[in-house]
Amino acid sequence: MPPIPKQPRAWQRMLSGRRLDLLDPTPVDIEIEDIAHGLAFVARWNGQTKGDFPYSVAEHSLLVETLFCRLCPGAKPAEKLFALLHDAPEYVIGDMISPVKAAVGPGYGELDKRLAAAIHIRFGLPAAPSIRLKKQIKKADNVSAWMEATQIAGFSETEASRFFKRPEPALIAGLDIHLRPPGRGPPCLYRAPRRTAGRAMSAPITVRRAGALDARPMAELLNEVIARGGTTAMTAPVSAEDLRGWMRVPRAIWHIAEDDAGALLGFQWVEPHTRLGDSVAQIASFARVGRTGLGIGSALFEATRAACRAEGYAWINAEIRADNEGGLIYYQSRGFEDYGHIRDYRLGDGRTVDKVLKRYDL
């Protein structure tokens, strides 16, 4: 099987000391201080605004979150964090108006998407927001753009309304555009992701070996993932008895992650690879929908890696759907390296997908 050509590296050293590969980012190389600092120095409207200072993407991000909360007063903390981080990739790739992004081509969109997924996972969010949530955030983004256009970018209200739609007066009541020196950005841009992500990432997680009695809740979790689609090659629901049968495979190792109340957060298992031999462990990982935070996967893999070494495996093989951005980022963040691919893998429902092959040497 021919190897996948390696992408060129594009490392950038962050002020935090992290080295972020812009073409292949991982959550572990992302720090909120770097994002906040970078966004404070990126100007909206290419700097073509009135005032002594540019209007930064950092200030814009805070305004969009405020508007989103007004539009969606019942929004959950994670949804608010998605709104706050909606332009976060611009801390390393800069701001660009939408028509230019489209003209640059799909490569820019893919770069933005990979960076956004890594950022989201770093702060305990799913790799991407739902379509519904994305539309709600975009509505808040357009309201912010109208305010900026009319207050600092030289647009008349009539002209701005043609591009961004005039918002209801009550929605923007009491809100203004604030211009500040870049080095004096609002500290809440640092605090908000830490508050929200902290709840997701610091909650107690217990990892233990799975037993037969865990098969039913694991099957329920897995069926939620299958029903959502897009991250697993499985397309048909599974039963608790199916999982019990998989758990009986010789040298199979199963772990589950639970919260402090004993609720199942995710699970991971390995078993001998059917084609590569008994020295290779095939891995599968699943987290509850909406709880795909870095902490769950990290805790599970620590336990799996130690158990694989004790069992005598030489390396761990992962096969990830090429369209599963979150899965690709997760395994890379654990230290897995690309070594091949499977083209046109046929799913149970007849569709075909590509798979990326990754390995972790023990």
PDB file of all heavy atoms in Angstrom, residues 133-169:
ATOM      1  N   LEU A 133     -26.780  25.758  14.977  1.00  0.00           N
ATOM      2  CA  LEU A 133     -26.003  26.685  15.791  1.00  0.00           C
ATOM      3  C   LEU A 133     -25.148  27.592  14.912  1.00  0.00           C
ATOM      4  O   LEU A 133     -25.019  28.798  15.185  1.00  0.00           O
ATOM      5  CB  LEU A 133     -25.128  25.911  16.775  1.00  0.00           C
ATOM      6  CG  LEU A 133     -24.216  26.740  17.682  1.00  0.00           C
ATOM      7  CD1 LEU A 133     -25.018  27.743  18.505  1.00  0.00           C
ATOM      8  CD2 LEU A 133     -23.394  25.824  18.594  1.00  0.00           C
ATOM      9  N   LYS A 134     -24.584  27.049  13.868  1.00  0.00           N
ATOM     10  CA  LYS A 134     -23.753  27.852  12.971  1.00  0.00           C
ATOM     11  C   LYS A 134     -24.566  28.984  12.347  1.00  0.00           C
ATOM     12  O   LYS A 134     -24.084  30.121  12.218  1.00  0.00           O
ATOM     13  CB  LYS A 134     -23.149  26.961  11.887  1.00  0.00           C
ATOM     14  CG  LYS A 134     -22.081  27.629  11.049  1.00  0.00           C
ATOM     15  CD  LYS A 134     -21.404  26.620  10.124  1.00  0.00           C
ATOM     16  CE  LYS A 134     -20.284  27.278   9.330  1.00  0.00           C
ATOM     17  NZ  LYS A 134     -19.597  26.298   8.449  1.00  0.00           N
ATOM     18  N   LYS A 135     -25.809  28.705  11.979  1.00  0.00           N
ATOM     19  CA  LYS A 135     -26.671  29.735  11.401  1.00  0.00           C
ATOM     20  C   LYS A 135     -27.006  30.814  12.430  1.00  0.00           C
ATOM     21  O   LYS A 135     -27.060  32.008  12.103  1.00  0.00           O
ATOM     22  CB  LYS A 135     -27.956  29.103  10.856  1.00  0.00           C
ATOM     23  CG  LYS A 135     -27.753  28.275   9.598  1.00  0.00           C
ATOM     24  CD  LYS A 135     -29.064  27.680   9.105  1.00  0.00           C
ATOM     25  CE  LYS A 135     -28.871  26.896   7.820  1.00  0.00           C
ATOM     26  NZ  LYS A 135     -30.149  26.282   7.359  1.00  0.00           N
ATOM     27  N   GLN A 136     -27.231  30.403  13.670  1.00  0.00           N
ATOM     28  CA  GLN A 136     -27.530  31.380  14.719  1.00  0.00           C
ATOM     29  C   GLN A 136     -26.342  32.297  14.973  1.00  0.00           C
ATOM     30  O   GLN A 136     -26.501  33.513  15.142  1.00  0.00           O
ATOM     31  CB  GLN A 136     -27.930  30.648  15.999  1.00  0.00           C
ATOM     32  CG  GLN A 136     -29.275  29.927  15.907  1.00  0.00           C
ATOM     33  CD  GLN A 136     -29.534  29.029  17.101  1.00  0.00           C
ATOM     34  OE1 GLN A 136     -28.597  28.520  17.725  1.00  0.00           O
ATOM     35  NE2 GLN A 136     -30.800  28.826  17.431  1.00  0.00           N
ATOM     36  N   ILE A 137     -25.140  31.716  14.996  1.00  0.00           N
ATOM     37  CA  ILE A 137     -23.938  32.529  15.194  1.00  0.00           C
ATOM     38  C   ILE A 137     -23.722  33.455  14.010  1.00  0.00           C
ATOM     39  O   ILE A 137     -23.336  34.622  14.178  1.00  0.00           O
ATOM     40  CB  ILE A 137     -22.715  31.617  15.431  1.00  0.00           C
ATOM     41  CG1 ILE A 137     -22.874  30.827  16.739  1.00  0.00           C
ATOM     42  CG2 ILE A 137     -21.424  32.439  15.461  1.00  0.00           C
ATOM     43  CD1 ILE A 137     -21.827  29.752  16.942  1.00  0.00           C
ATOM     44  N   LYS A 138     -23.982  32.963  12.807  1.00  0.00           N
ATOM     45  CA  LYS A 138     -23.821  33.807  11.614  1.00  0.00           C
ATOM     46  C   LYS A 138     -24.774  34.988  11.659  1.00  0.00           C
ATOM     47  O   LYS A 138     -24.420  36.105  11.221  1.00  0.00           O
ATOM     48  CB  LYS A 138     -24.055  32.970  10.349  1.00  0.00           C
ATOM     49  CG  LYS A 138     -23.783  33.737   9.061  1.00  0.00           C
ATOM     50  CD  LYS A 138     -22.326  34.193   8.999  1.00  0.00           C
ATOM     51  CE  LYS A 138     -22.025  34.940   7.715  1.00  0.00           C
ATOM     52  NZ  LYS A 138     -20.636  35.445   7.688  1.00  0.00           N
ATOM     53  N   LYS A 139     -25.976  34.800  12.172  1.00  0.00           N
ATOM     54  CA  LYS A 139     -26.920  35.909  12.287  1.00  0.00           C
ATOM     55  C   LYS A 139     -26.360  36.983  13.218  1.00  0.00           C
ATOM     56  O   LYS A 139     -26.420  38.184  12.911  1.00  0.00           O
ATOM     57  CB  LYS A 139     -28.271  35.400  12.803  1.00  0.00           C
ATOM     58  CG  LYS A 139     -29.356  36.462  12.833  1.00  0.00           C
ATOM     59  CD  LYS A 139     -30.696  35.864  13.222  1.00  0.00           C
ATOM     60  CE  LYS A 139     -31.791  36.944  13.215  1.00  0.00           C
ATOM     61  NZ  LYS A 139     -33.128  36.377  13.579  1.00  0.00           N
ATOM     62  N   ALA A 140     -25.795  36.558  14.351  1.00  0.00           N
ATOM     63  CA  ALA A 140     -25.171  37.509  15.271  1.00  0.00           C
ATOM     64  C   ALA A 140     -23.969  38.187  14.607  1.00  0.00           C
ATOM     65  O   ALA A 140     -23.736  39.398  14.793  1.00  0.00           O
ATOM     66  CB  ALA A 140     -24.744  36.799  16.551  1.00  0.00           C
ATOM     67  N   ASP A 141     -23.215  37.445  13.827  1.00  0.00           N
ATOM     68  CA  ASP A 141     -22.054  37.976  13.117  1.00  0.00           C
ATOM     69  C   ASP A 141     -22.474  39.066  12.137  1.00  0.00           C
ATOM     70  O   ASP A 141     -21.820  40.114  12.013  1.00  0.00           O
ATOM     71  CB  ASP A 141     -21.357  36.823  12.384  1.00  0.00           C
ATOM     72  CG  ASP A 141     -19.952  37.175  11.916  1.00  0.00           C
ATOM     73  OD1 ASP A 141     -19.362  38.134  12.460  1.00  0.00           O
ATOM     74  OD2 ASP A 141     -19.458  36.486  11.014  1.00  0.00           O
ATOM     75  N   ASN A 142     -23.583  38.857  11.438  1.00  0.00           N
ATOM     76  CA  ASN A 142     -24.074  39.848  10.478  1.00  0.00           C
ATOM     77  C   ASN A 142     -24.559  41.123  11.177  1.00  0.00           C
ATOM     78  O   ASN A 142     -24.386  42.223  10.655  1.00  0.00           O
ATOM     79  CB  ASN A 142     -25.188  39.255   9.631  1.00  0.00           C
ATOM     80  CG  ASN A 142     -24.661  38.323   8.553  1.00  0.00           C
ATOM     81  OD1 ASN A 142     -23.506  38.410   8.151  1.00  0.00           O
ATOM     82  ND2 ASN A 142     -25.504  37.406   8.091  1.00  0.00           N
ATOM     83  N   VAL A 143     -25.173  40.969  12.353  1.00  0.00           N
ATOM     84  CA  VAL A 143     -25.598  42.143  13.110  1.00  0.00           C
ATOM     85  C   VAL A 143     -24.376  42.954  13.530  1.00  0.00           C
ATOM     86  O   VAL A 143     -24.346  44.188  13.430  1.00  0.00           O
ATOM     87  CB  VAL A 143     -26.432  41.738  14.342  1.00  0.00           C
ATOM     88  CG1 VAL A 143     -26.749  42.961  15.207  1.00  0.00           C
ATOM     89  CG2 VAL A 143     -27.729  41.056  13.916  1.00  0.00           C
ATOM     90  N   SER A 144     -23.333  42.256  13.995  1.00  0.00           N
ATOM     91  CA  SER A 144     -22.091  42.936  14.365  1.00  0.00           C
ATOM     92  C   SER A 144     -21.504  43.661  13.164  1.00  0.00           C
ATOM     93  O   SER A 144     -21.053  44.810  13.272  1.00  0.00           O
ATOM     94  CB  SER A 144     -21.088  41.926  14.925  1.00  0.00           C
ATOM     95  OG  SER A 144     -19.851  42.536  15.206  1.00  0.00           O
ATOM     96  N   ALA A 145     -21.520  43.015  11.997  1.00  0.00           N
ATOM     97  CA  ALA A 145     -20.977  43.634  10.791  1.00  0.00           C
ATOM     98  C   ALA A 145     -21.757  44.902  10.438  1.00  0.00           C
ATOM     99  O   ALA A 145     -21.161  45.913  10.012  1.00  0.00           O
ATOM    100  CB  ALA A 145     -21.006  42.644   9.635  1.00  0.00           C
ATOM    101  N   TRP A 146     -23.086  44.880  10.598  1.00  0.00           N
ATOM    102  CA  TRP A 146     -23.894  46.079  10.325  1.00  0.00           C
ATOM    103  C   TRP A 146     -23.512  47.208  11.267  1.00  0.00           C
ATOM    104  O   TRP A 146     -23.362  48.359  10.839  1.00  0.00           O
ATOM    105  CB  TRP A 146     -25.372  45.733  10.468  1.00  0.00           C
ATOM    106  CG  TRP A 146     -26.304  46.844  10.041  1.00  0.00           C
ATOM    107  CD1 TRP A 146     -26.841  47.025   8.791  1.00  0.00           C
ATOM    108  CD2 TRP A 146     -26.790  47.922  10.856  1.00  0.00           C
ATOM    109  NE1 TRP A 146     -27.631  48.151   8.773  1.00  0.00           N
ATOM    110  CE2 TRP A 146     -27.624  48.732  10.029  1.00  0.00           C
ATOM    111  CE3 TRP A 146     -26.612  48.296  12.184  1.00  0.00           C
ATOM    112  CZ2 TRP A 146     -28.273  49.869  10.503  1.00  0.00           C
ATOM    113  CZ3 TRP A 146     -27.245  49.430  12.657  1.00  0.00           C
ATOM    114  CH2 TRP A 146     -28.061  50.210  11.828  1.00  0.00           C
ATOM    115  N   MET A 147     -23.343  46.878  12.542  1.00  0.00           N
ATOM    116  CA  MET A 147     -22.957  47.902  13.517  1.00  0.00           C
ATOM    117  C   MET A 147     -21.591  48.485  13.181  1.00  0.00           C
ATOM    118  O   MET A 147     -21.386  49.704  13.211  1.00  0.00           O
ATOM    119  CB  MET A 147     -22.951  47.301  14.923  1.00  0.00           C
ATOM    120  CG  MET A 147     -24.312  46.905  15.449  1.00  0.00           C
ATOM    121  SD  MET A 147     -24.197  46.104  17.081  1.00  0.00           S
ATOM    122  CE  MET A 147     -23.513  47.439  18.070  1.00  0.00           C
ATOM    123  N   GLU A 148     -20.648  47.630  12.854  1.00  0.00           N
ATOM    124  CA  GLU A 148     -19.303  48.101  12.522  1.00  0.00           C
ATOM    125  C   GLU A 148     -19.323  48.940  11.248  1.00  0.00           C
ATOM    126  O   GLU A 148     -18.661  49.990  11.163  1.00  0.00           O
ATOM    127  CB  GLU A 148     -18.373  46.896  12.351  1.00  0.00           C
ATOM    128  CG  GLU A 148     -18.173  46.075  13.609  1.00  0.00           C
ATOM    129  CD  GLU A 148     -17.577  44.700  13.318  1.00  0.00           C
ATOM    130  OE1 GLU A 148     -16.842  44.569  12.324  1.00  0.00           O
ATOM    131  OE2 GLU A 148     -17.865  43.757  14.082  1.00  0.00           O
ATOM    132  N   ALA A 149     -20.082  48.472  10.251  1.00  0.00           N
ATOM    133  CA  ALA A 149     -20.139  49.184   8.974  1.00  0.00           C
ATOM    134  C   ALA A 149     -20.665  50.606   9.147  1.00  0.00           C
ATOM    135  O   ALA A 149     -20.126  51.554   8.552  1.00  0.00           O
ATOM    136  CB  ALA A 149     -21.013  48.413   7.985  1.00  0.00           C
ATOM    137  N   THR A 150     -21.695  50.749   9.963  1.00  0.00           N
ATOM    138  CA  THR A 150     -22.327  52.068  10.101  1.00  0.00           C
ATOM    139  C   THR A 150     -21.605  52.969  11.093  1.00  0.00           C
ATOM    140  O   THR A 150     -21.677  54.197  10.980  1.00  0.00           O
ATOM    141  CB  THR A 150     -23.793  51.902  10.539  1.00  0.00           C
ATOM    142  OG1 THR A 150     -23.844  51.145  11.760  1.00  0.00           O
ATOM    143  CG2 THR A 150     -24.601  51.191   9.473  1.00  0.00           C
ATOM    144  N   GLN A 151     -20.912  52.393  12.065  1.00  0.00           N
ATOM    145  CA  GLN A 151     -20.284  53.219  13.101  1.00  0.00           C
ATOM    146  C   GLN A 151     -18.825  53.571  12.805  1.00  0.00           C
ATOM    147  O   GLN A 151     -18.363  54.656  13.171  1.00  0.00           O
ATOM    148  CB  GLN A 151     -20.378  52.523  14.466  1.00  0.00           C
ATOM    149  CG  GLN A 151     -21.795  52.407  14.996  1.00  0.00           C
ATOM    150  CD  GLN A 151     -21.852  51.811  16.404  1.00  0.00           C
ATOM    151  OE1 GLN A 151     -20.979  52.073  17.225  1.00  0.00           O
ATOM    152  NE2 GLN A 151     -22.871  51.006  16.671  1.00  0.00           N
ATOM    153  N   ILE A 152     -18.090  52.671  12.151  1.00  0.00           N
ATOM    154  CA  ILE A 152     -16.657  52.940  11.979  1.00  0.00           C
ATOM    155  C   ILE A 152     -16.124  52.689  10.571  1.00  0.00           C
ATOM    156  O   ILE A 152     -15.000  53.101  10.265  1.00  0.00           O
ATOM    157  CB  ILE A 152     -15.805  52.100  12.974  1.00  0.00           C
ATOM    158  CG1 ILE A 152     -16.062  50.603  12.774  1.00  0.00           C
ATOM    159  CG2 ILE A 152     -16.064  52.532  14.406  1.00  0.00           C
ATOM    160  CD1 ILE A 152     -15.136  49.710  13.589  1.00  0.00           C
ATOM    161  N   ALA A 153     -16.904  52.004   9.696  1.00  0.00           N
ATOM    162  CA  ALA A 153     -16.367  51.638   8.384  1.00  0.00           C
ATOM    163  C   ALA A 153     -16.869  52.531   7.259  1.00  0.00           C
ATOM    164  O   ALA A 153     -16.603  52.247   6.084  1.00  0.00           O
ATOM    165  CB  ALA A 153     -16.680  50.174   8.068  1.00  0.00           C
ATOM    166  N   GLY A 154     -17.607  53.597   7.574  1.00  0.00           N
ATOM    167  CA  GLY A 154     -17.975  54.575   6.563  1.00  0.00           C
ATOM    168  C   GLY A 154     -19.208  54.262   5.752  1.00  0.00           C
ATOM    169  O   GLY A 154     -19.499  54.956   4.768  1.00  0.00           O
ATOM    170  N   PHE A 155     -19.980  53.248   6.099  1.00  0.00           N
ATOM    171  CA  PHE A 155     -21.195  52.897   5.376  1.00  0.00           C
ATOM    172  C   PHE A 155     -22.363  53.754   5.887  1.00  0.00           C
ATOM    173  O   PHE A 155     -22.470  54.031   7.087  1.00  0.00           O
ATOM    174  CB  PHE A 155     -21.565  51.433   5.597  1.00  0.00           C
ATOM    175  CG  PHE A 155     -20.720  50.431   4.859  1.00  0.00           C
ATOM    176  CD1 PHE A 155     -19.356  50.317   5.108  1.00  0.00           C
ATOM    177  CD2 PHE A 155     -21.284  49.582   3.929  1.00  0.00           C
ATOM    178  CE1 PHE A 155     -18.575  49.384   4.458  1.00  0.00           C
ATOM    179  CE2 PHE A 155     -20.518  48.642   3.262  1.00  0.00           C
ATOM    180  CZ  PHE A 155     -19.159  48.533   3.528  1.00  0.00           C
ATOM    181  N   SER A 156     -23.249  54.119   4.995  1.00  0.00           N
ATOM    182  CA  SER A 156     -24.537  54.653   5.439  1.00  0.00           C
ATOM    183  C   SER A 156     -25.399  53.488   5.902  1.00  0.00           C
ATOM    184  O   SER A 156     -25.136  52.322   5.554  1.00  0.00           O
ATOM    185  CB  SER A 156     -25.229  55.383   4.291  1.00  0.00           C
ATOM    186  OG  SER A 156     -25.629  54.453   3.286  1.00  0.00           O
ATOM    187  N   GLU A 157     -26.428  53.776   6.679  1.00  0.00           N
ATOM    188  CA  GLU A 157     -27.301  52.697   7.148  1.00  0.00           C
ATOM    189  C   GLU A 157     -28.002  52.010   5.975  1.00  0.00           C
ATOM    190  O   GLU A 157     -28.199  50.793   5.991  1.00  0.00           O
ATOM    191  CB  GLU A 157     -28.314  53.231   8.148  1.00  0.00           C
ATOM    192  CG  GLU A 157     -27.701  53.661   9.480  1.00  0.00           C
ATOM    193  CD  GLU A 157     -28.742  53.904  10.557  1.00  0.00           C
ATOM    194  OE1 GLU A 157     -29.944  53.695  10.273  1.00  0.00           O
ATOM    195  OE2 GLU A 157     -28.351  54.294  11.673  1.00  0.00           O
ATOM    196  N   THR A 158     -28.351  52.784   4.951  1.00  0.00           N
ATOM    197  CA  THR A 158     -29.014  52.201   3.777  1.00  0.00           C
ATOM    198  C   THR A 158     -28.087  51.233   3.059  1.00  0.00           C
ATOM    199  O   THR A 158     -28.483  50.111   2.689  1.00  0.00           O
ATOM    200  CB  THR A 158     -29.449  53.316   2.809  1.00  0.00           C
ATOM    201  OG1 THR A 158     -30.358  54.191   3.476  1.00  0.00           O
ATOM    202  CG2 THR A 158     -30.137  52.725   1.581  1.00  0.00           C
ATOM    203  N   GLU A 159     -26.844  51.641   2.869  1.00  0.00           N
ATOM    204  CA  GLU A 159     -25.876  50.774   2.179  1.00  0.00           C
ATOM    205  C   GLU A 159     -25.574  49.528   3.007  1.00  0.00           C
ATOM    206  O   GLU A 159     -25.554  48.404   2.483  1.00  0.00           O
ATOM    207  CB  GLU A 159     -24.588  51.550   1.910  1.00  0.00           C
ATOM    208  CG  GLU A 159     -23.553  50.765   1.122  1.00  0.00           C
ATOM    209  CD  GLU A 159     -22.268  51.525   0.912  1.00  0.00           C
ATOM    210  OE1 GLU A 159     -22.058  52.559   1.591  1.00  0.00           O
ATOM    211  OE2 GLU A 159     -21.451  51.076   0.080  1.00  0.00           O
ATOM    212  N   ALA A 160     -25.341  49.699   4.305  1.00  0.00           N
ATOM    213  CA  ALA A 160     -25.040  48.554   5.164  1.00  0.00           C
ATOM    214  C   ALA A 160     -26.199  47.564   5.192  1.00  0.00           C
ATOM    215  O   ALA A 160     -25.990  46.344   5.231  1.00  0.00           O
ATOM    216  CB  ALA A 160     -24.720  49.031   6.581  1.00  0.00           C
ATOM    217  N   SER A 161     -27.421  48.083   5.153  1.00  0.00           N
ATOM    218  CA  SER A 161     -28.600  47.213   5.224  1.00  0.00           C
ATOM    219  C   SER A 161     -28.745  46.353   3.976  1.00  0.00           C
ATOM    220  O   SER A 161     -29.359  45.287   4.029  1.00  0.00           O
ATOM    221  CB  SER A 161     -29.861  48.054   5.433  1.00  0.00           C
ATOM    222  OG  SER A 161     -29.784  48.771   6.661  1.00  0.00           O
ATOM    223  N   ARG A 162     -28.183  46.796   2.852  1.00  0.00           N
ATOM    224  CA  ARG A 162     -28.225  45.968   1.643  1.00  0.00           C
ATOM    225  C   ARG A 162     -27.352  44.737   1.781  1.00  0.00           C
ATOM    226  O   ARG A 162     -27.639  43.686   1.205  1.00  0.00           O
ATOM    227  CB  ARG A 162     -27.764  46.790   0.427  1.00  0.00           C
ATOM    228  CG  ARG A 162     -28.745  47.850  -0.026  1.00  0.00           C
ATOM    229  CD  ARG A 162     -28.537  48.198  -1.500  1.00  0.00           C
ATOM    230  NE  ARG A 162     -27.169  48.635  -1.776  1.00  0.00           N
ATOM    231  CZ  ARG A 162     -26.765  49.900  -1.740  1.00  0.00           C
ATOM    232  NH1 ARG A 162     -27.618  50.864  -1.426  1.00  0.00           N
ATOM    233  NH2 ARG A 162     -25.517  50.218  -2.025  1.00  0.00           N
ATOM    234  N   PHE A 163     -26.268  44.844   2.520  1.00  0.00           N
ATOM    235  CA  PHE A 163     -25.329  43.726   2.669  1.00  0.00           C
ATOM    236  C   PHE A 163     -25.613  42.867   3.900  1.00  0.00           C
ATOM    237  O   PHE A 163     -25.443  41.638   3.859  1.00  0.00           O
ATOM    238  CB  PHE A 163     -23.892  44.262   2.757  1.00  0.00           C
ATOM    239  CG  PHE A 163     -23.415  44.923   1.506  1.00  0.00           C
ATOM    240  CD1 PHE A 163     -23.307  46.302   1.432  1.00  0.00           C
ATOM    241  CD2 PHE A 163     -23.087  44.176   0.383  1.00  0.00           C
ATOM    242  CE1 PHE A 163     -22.863  46.929   0.277  1.00  0.00           C
ATOM    243  CE2 PHE A 163     -22.633  44.784  -0.780  1.00  0.00           C
ATOM    244  CZ  PHE A 163     -22.535  46.173  -0.843  1.00  0.00           C
ATOM    245  N   PHE A 164     -26.010  43.485   4.998  1.00  0.00           N
ATOM    246  CA  PHE A 164     -26.065  42.757   6.267  1.00  0.00           C
ATOM    247  C   PHE A 164     -27.452  42.718   6.929  1.00  0.00           C
ATOM    248  O   PHE A 164     -27.605  42.080   7.954  1.00  0.00           O
ATOM    249  CB  PHE A 164     -25.080  43.391   7.271  1.00  0.00           C
ATOM    250  CG  PHE A 164     -23.685  43.504   6.738  1.00  0.00           C
ATOM    251  CD1 PHE A 164     -23.111  44.742   6.502  1.00  0.00           C
ATOM    252  CD2 PHE A 164     -22.939  42.363   6.459  1.00  0.00           C
ATOM    253  CE1 PHE A 164     -21.816  44.856   6.011  1.00  0.00           C
ATOM    254  CE2 PHE A 164     -21.654  42.459   5.957  1.00  0.00           C
ATOM    255  CZ  PHE A 164     -21.085  43.708   5.738  1.00  0.00           C
ATOM    256  N   LYS A 165     -28.432  43.414   6.393  1.00  0.00           N
ATOM    257  CA  LYS A 165     -29.789  43.475   6.912  1.00  0.00           C
ATOM    258  C   LYS A 165     -29.831  44.274   8.216  1.00  0.00           C
ATOM    259  O   LYS A 165     -29.139  43.953   9.183  1.00  0.00           O
ATOM    260  CB  LYS A 165     -30.385  42.076   7.151  1.00  0.00           C
ATOM    261  CG  LYS A 165     -31.874  42.102   7.481  1.00  0.00           C
ATOM    262  CD  LYS A 165     -32.425  40.697   7.661  1.00  0.00           C
ATOM    263  CE  LYS A 165     -33.896  40.747   8.018  1.00  0.00           C
ATOM    264  NZ  LYS A 165     -34.466  39.401   8.225  1.00  0.00           N
ATOM    265  N   ARG A 166     -30.669  45.277   8.224  1.00  0.00           N
ATOM    266  CA  ARG A 166     -30.782  46.160   9.377  1.00  0.00           C
ATOM    267  C   ARG A 166     -31.341  45.384  10.577  1.00  0.00           C
ATOM    268  O   ARG A 166     -32.398  44.749  10.484  1.00  0.00           O
ATOM    269  CB  ARG A 166     -31.706  47.328   9.055  1.00  0.00           C
ATOM    270  CG  ARG A 166     -31.843  48.355  10.183  1.00  0.00           C
ATOM    271  CD  ARG A 166     -32.961  49.339   9.851  1.00  0.00           C
ATOM    272  NE  ARG A 166     -32.685  50.065   8.630  1.00  0.00           N
ATOM    273  CZ  ARG A 166     -32.023  51.222   8.578  1.00  0.00           C
ATOM    274  NH1 ARG A 166     -31.595  51.782   9.705  1.00  0.00           N
ATOM    275  NH2 ARG A 166     -31.817  51.826   7.423  1.00  0.00           N
ATOM    276  N   PRO A 167     -30.663  45.402  11.713  1.00  0.00           N
ATOM    277  CA  PRO A 167     -31.162  44.679  12.886  1.00  0.00           C
ATOM    278  C   PRO A 167     -32.277  45.433  13.597  1.00  0.00           C
ATOM    279  O   PRO A 167     -32.435  46.651  13.422  1.00  0.00           O
ATOM    280  CB  PRO A 167     -29.923  44.567  13.780  1.00  0.00           C
ATOM    281  CG  PRO A 167     -29.110  45.770  13.418  1.00  0.00           C
ATOM    282  CD  PRO A 167     -29.349  46.015  11.958  1.00  0.00           C
ATOM    283  N   GLU A 168     -33.023  44.717  14.415  1.00  0.00           N
ATOM    284  CA  GLU A 168     -34.037  45.352  15.244  1.00  0.00           C
ATOM    285  C   GLU A 168     -33.358  46.258  16.261  1.00  0.00           C
ATOM    286  O   GLU A 168     -32.343  45.868  16.868  1.00  0.00           O
ATOM    287  CB  GLU A 168     -34.868  44.300  15.967  1.00  0.00           C
ATOM    288  CG  GLU A 168     -35.743  43.442  15.047  1.00  0.00           C
ATOM    289  CD  GLU A 168     -36.837  44.260  14.390  1.00  0.00           C
ATOM    290  OE1 GLU A 168     -37.311  45.242  15.019  1.00  0.00           O
ATOM    291  OE2 GLU A 168     -37.203  43.939  13.243  1.00  0.00           O
ATOM    292  N   PRO A 169     -33.879  47.469  16.469  1.00  0.00           N
ATOM    293  CA  PRO A 169     -33.245  48.390  17.423  1.00  0.00           C
ATOM    294  C   PRO A 169     -33.054  47.796  18.817  1.00  0.00           C
ATOM    295  O   PRO A 169     -32.036  48.061  19.471  1.00  0.00           O
ATOM    296  CB  PRO A 169     -34.204  49.589  17.435  1.00  0.00           C
ATOM    297  CG  PRO A 169     -34.885  49.541  16.108  1.00  0.00           C
ATOM    298  CD  PRO A 169     -35.036  48.087  15.784  1.00  0.00           C
TER     299      PRO A 169
END
